[in-house]
Amino acid sequence: MTVSNRARSTPPVRVGLALTGVLLIGINLRVAFVSVGPLLADIGREFDFSSAQSGLLTGLPLVAFALFSPLAPAIALRTGLDRALWLSLALLAAGTVFRSMPVPTALWTGTVLVGIAIAFLNVLLPSLIKRDFPGKVSQLTGLYIAAQSLVTALGAAVVVPVSLIPGSGWRLALGLWAGLALIAMAILLPGLKRGTNDGGASGSAANEPSAPVRFRSPWKTLLGWQVTLFMGFQSVGFFVVTTWLPSIERDQGISETVSGLHVSAFLVVGTVSSLLTGAVLGRFADQRLLGMVGSLLAMAGFLGLLTAPGLSLVWVVVSASGCGSMIVTALSLFSLRTTNHVQAAALSGMAQSVGYAIGAAGPVLFGFLYDLTGDWTVPLAASAGIMGLACAMAFLAGRDRVLPEQPRQRPAAPAGP
């Protein structure tokens, strides 16, 4: 595979900067909000949060993903792709700093800004890869996802030790991640000065169909909703574990530092599981087996935490294996269940918008059930049940079929006399 003509005609230094920019944007997509989980107890004590409020704090970025992701393409078209990415990184840096300020509303406002910024970056990064490296889309996507997961694991491991440094606290531990966004902004700045802000149009025009592609909206199909619900249910497993595992383990007598390492282990094992699933996914005619196995592993992880909490690390590894496999399967279904890239984009937009909304509700519901019952039994059992629903959706969405290519036609009116 080769890169685009544009990349071949560009000096190697610029190509290297573009590749570095892709990786730096990728690692900014998760660490800024996943690192909140290990510090949630400290934040909750300072603000006297209920468990439901703590869950809402971690769920707000997901709400922003669901609400603001559809706006990103229009903004990129208006401002140019490079400028839109740069402004999104600036918003991410500002939100990360603002939520760490000792201002009453700063925590909530900054968290919303972080969510909006990551929503835009999630949507725009694939456009950047397709424009600058169209021949290496799969390789670079796998590379930035792996880098993203490893840096996120590192972040989850170090935030608690940083917060324990005298004179530091949770604010510095969260605020330091603004540095990653600032570095990415510096890497992208030369592109802005060269005026390469074409919004991706020049890189994608050749791939656009000569005539409008007609297809039935995924919102009106059972298959579209099956893929969407699988996307949403699998995201509940990931975000519940990364949000609430430290609190669950704290009640089992596990220190915050060790729990942070467990969250890191969850992310690292999930990365390996994702890579393995991606390597074998294309060998199957349908994806039912992989989707169901991943769902059952995630279910076993929650049931293990419920019935044998002393083996917490074992259940972390089991659930990570399931969650890592499920996310790759879910993202792949956007292409495997469609016949062209326009249809795939429509299904992706539907599944990610609704899926993030479901994912955002997961940690909040988990915290609410804990407040209601006073222990972790019901929340963990409910989470296992949701993984059971994911297994059912995997069976339905994983079948080898695609969305209808044409919209449903109304019966023709009878001819007149």
Side-chain angles (χ1 to χ4, degrees):
M1 291 191 177
T2 59
V3 297
S4 65
N5 291 331
R6 171 180 174 173
R8 285 197 297 266
S9 63
T10 303
V13 172
R14 290 187 183 178
V15 175
L17 286 175
L19 177 59
T20 303
V22 168
L23 295 178
L24 284 172
I25 293 170
I27 65 178
N28 273 283
L29 295 181
R30 192 180 289 174
V31 67
F33 71 92
V34 171
S35 57
V36 172
L39 300 171
L40 200 54
D42 292 338
I43 298 172
R45 280 193 294 268
E46 178 172 333
F47 292 99
D48 195 24
F49 282 166
S50 66
S51 297
Q53 287 175 307
S54 296
L56 178 61
L57 180 66
T58 59
L60 270 179
L62 304 181
V63 175
F65 295 172
L67 295 178
F68 291 94
S69 292
L71 303 179
I75 292 175
L77 186 63
R78 191 176 188 86
T79 66
L81 178 58
D82 296 285
R83 186 173 286 112
L85 284 162
W86 196 87
L87 292 174
S88 298
L89 287 165
L91 184 63
L92 176 60
T96 302
V97 171
F98 194 69
R99 72 177 177 180
S100 300
M101 296 175 63
V103 179
T105 60
L107 179 64
W108 296 102
T109 304
T111 299
V112 171
L113 294 178
V114 166
I116 295 173
I118 296 178
F120 289 168
L121 292 168
N122 269 327
V123 173
L124 298 179
L125 181 55
S127 296
L128 178 68
I129 295 175
K130 185 167 182 62
R131 187 195 70 184
D132 289 352
F133 303 94
K136 293 184 176 293
V137 170
S138 59
Q139 295 95 321
L140 287 183
T141 300
L143 186 61
Y144 90 71
I145 289 176
Q148 174 191 104
S149 298
L150 291 175
V151 171
T152 303
L154 176 63
V158 304
V159 287
V160 171
V162 169
S163 71
L164 297 176
I165 297 174
S168 174
W170 65 264
R171 297 182 188 278
L172 178 61
L174 289 184
L176 61 86
W177 301 113
L180 287 177
L182 294 173
I183 294 172
M185 290 171 64
I187 294 294
L188 293 179
L189 190 58
L192 298 182
K193 293 181 177 179
R194 288 193 300 270
T196 59
N197 306 299
D198 58 2
S202 65
S204 60
N207 298 321
E208 290 300 321
S210 57
V213 176
R214 292 172 57 81
F215 59 89
R216 190 176 176 194
S217 169
W219 293 88
K220 299 178 181 179
T221 67
L222 283 176
L223 178 56
W225 280 104
Q226 290 160 3
V227 172
T228 296
L229 290 175
F230 179 66
M231 176 69 184
F233 292 150
Q234 66 82 25
S235 69
V236 169
F238 175 85
F239 289 112
V240 164
V241 172
T242 54
T243 299
W244 286 108
L245 181 64
S247 299
I248 295 170
E249 292 189 332
R250 181 193 62 212
D251 287 355
Q252 298 169 2
I254 298 174
S255 70
E256 291 181 338
T257 300
V258 172
S259 187
L261 292 174
H262 285 182
V263 174
S264 296
F266 175 84
L267 297 170
V268 171
V269 173
T271 300
V272 175
S273 177
S274 295
L275 292 173
L276 292 175
T277 301
V280 302
L281 192 65
R283 301 181 183 180
F284 291 86
D286 64 44
Q287 291 69 48
R288 284 178 290 182
L289 178 61
L290 285 174
M292 294 174 68
V293 168
S295 303
L296 292 174
L297 285 172
M299 177 191 290
F302 284 115
L303 292 176
L305 287 172
L306 174 61
T307 59
L311 300 174
S312 179
L313 182 57
V314 172
W315 306 125
V316 166
V317 171
V318 170
S319 60
S321 300
C323 290
S325 177
M326 282 196 293
I327 182 59
V328 172
T329 304
L331 294 175
S332 298
L333 290 177
F334 303 159
S335 296
L336 295 171
R337 298 288 85 90
T338 55
T339 57
N340 57 71
H341 72 282
V342 178
Q343 194 181 44
L347 179 58
S348 175
M350 172 187 176
Q352 293 202 54
S353 179
V354 177
Y356 280 134
I358 294 173
V364 179
L365 176 63
F366 195 93
F368 172 77
L369 291 175
Y370 177 78
D371 286 339
L372 190 66
T373 62
D375 63 32
W376 303 110
T377 301
V378 173
L380 287 170
S383 299
I386 292 173
M387 296 305 98
L389 294 176
C391 185
M393 290 301 107
F395 177 81
L396 296 172
R399 291 175 289 176
D400 186 15
R401 58 200 176 122
V402 294
L403 291 172
E405 290 191 62
Q406 297 293 332
R408 187 186 298 275
Q409 301 293 326
R410 293 183 178 180

